[in-house]
Amino acid sequence: MQTELNKVVTALQEFYAHEAFLLDKDLGERTLTHRLAVHCEKQFSGWDVDCDFNRLGERTLRLPHGTIVSTDDHLGKSVYPDIVVHQREIPNNLLAIEVRKASNHQPLEHDQHKLQALTDPHLWFAYWIGVHLSLGKKQVTMSEVYTAGVFDQALSGWFAGRLQEMGLSEG
């Protein structure tokens, strides 16, 4: 998993090196998500990288009813991961990334519950890794890693350390 997370670190390095204009102008989260996805695409050769992807093969992505994350929102607000790294036709789901701007003061729980569900191995669309990122104008202000449906303390600490080593966070 560290190999995949290192690819995310490299994508973030490229993102911060090339997208300062977007960050300085305080553009929307979807714009930032799209540009980060472009940089992720360069790192994950052989994989498809998509934004707001709501399918698993021919099936529509739905979370279990009764969870904190709604399954009825087709506005892309609740059931669609911001960025996914996957193989569309197999389907094979490697990585789901939830992105938020550091200036977003909405509670983190929504994205956290979504990543828990998306990485839950008991659900048919499980992603191997989930990453939660809060993007500041100059660096990542918060990061979390989810595996097997739970917050992964050890990988989150390792990932935060890698971001700090690369000058992408204060730590």
Side-chain angles (χ1 to χ4, degrees):
M1 288 189 204
Q2 291 178 353
T3 300
E4 287 74 22
L5 291 172
N6 268 323
K7 291 177 182 183
V8 175
V9 170
T10 302
L12 284 163
Q13 281 180 296
E14 292 296 313
F15 173 80
Y16 276 102
H18 297 287
E19 310 301 345
F21 176 86
L22 303 177
L23 294 160
D24 289 341
K25 298 298 181 190
D26 199 28
L27 287 166
E29 232 169 68
R30 286 187 183 204
T31 300
L32 301 179
T33 298
H34 165 70
R35 295 306 304 162
L36 179 56
V38 168
H39 296 288
C40 284
E41 197 167 42
K42 296 173 189 173
Q43 299 306 312
F44 289 93
S45 178
W47 293 88
D48 298 304
V49 178
D50 293 304
C51 293
D52 294 327
F53 197 80
N54 73 335
R55 300 283 175 179
L56 181 70
E58 297 299 316
R59 298 169 74 179
T60 301
L61 180 63
R62 296 201 186 283
L63 298 178
H65 288 287
T67 62
I68 193 169
V69 181
S70 168
T71 64
D72 302 319
D73 181 357
H74 284 285
L75 300 176
K77 189 173 180 183
S78 63
V79 294
Y80 311 120
D82 290 332
I83 301 169
V84 293
V85 177
H86 62 156
Q87 293 171 318
R88 294 181 195 124
E89 294 182 20
I90 295 176
N92 185 16
N93 295 322
L94 178 64
L95 174 67
I97 302 174
E98 285 297 313
V99 176
R100 62 188 294 127
K101 290 169 54 174
S103 60
N104 181 343
H105 297 294
Q106 296 296 317
L108 298 173
E109 287 83 10
H110 178 80
D111 289 340
Q112 292 168 327
H113 284 280
K114 191 188 313 186
L115 286 168
Q116 288 169 355
L118 289 168
T119 61
D120 186 338
H122 300 102
L123 300 178
W124 56 266
F125 51 81
Y127 286 81
W128 197 41
I129 309 167
V131 175
H132 192 203
L133 297 168
S134 183
L135 304 178
K137 289 188 178 198
K138 304 290 182 197
Q139 60 190 9
V140 176
T141 61
M142 184 277 305
S143 65
E144 297 174 327
V145 177
Y146 291 80
T147 58
V150 297
F151 171 73
D152 190 316
Q153 182 79 38
L155 269 179
S156 292
W158 180 88
F159 186 64
R162 287 292 295 137
L163 291 172
Q164 188 175 10
E165 284 173 28
M166 302 311 290
L168 294 169
S169 78
E170 289 183 13

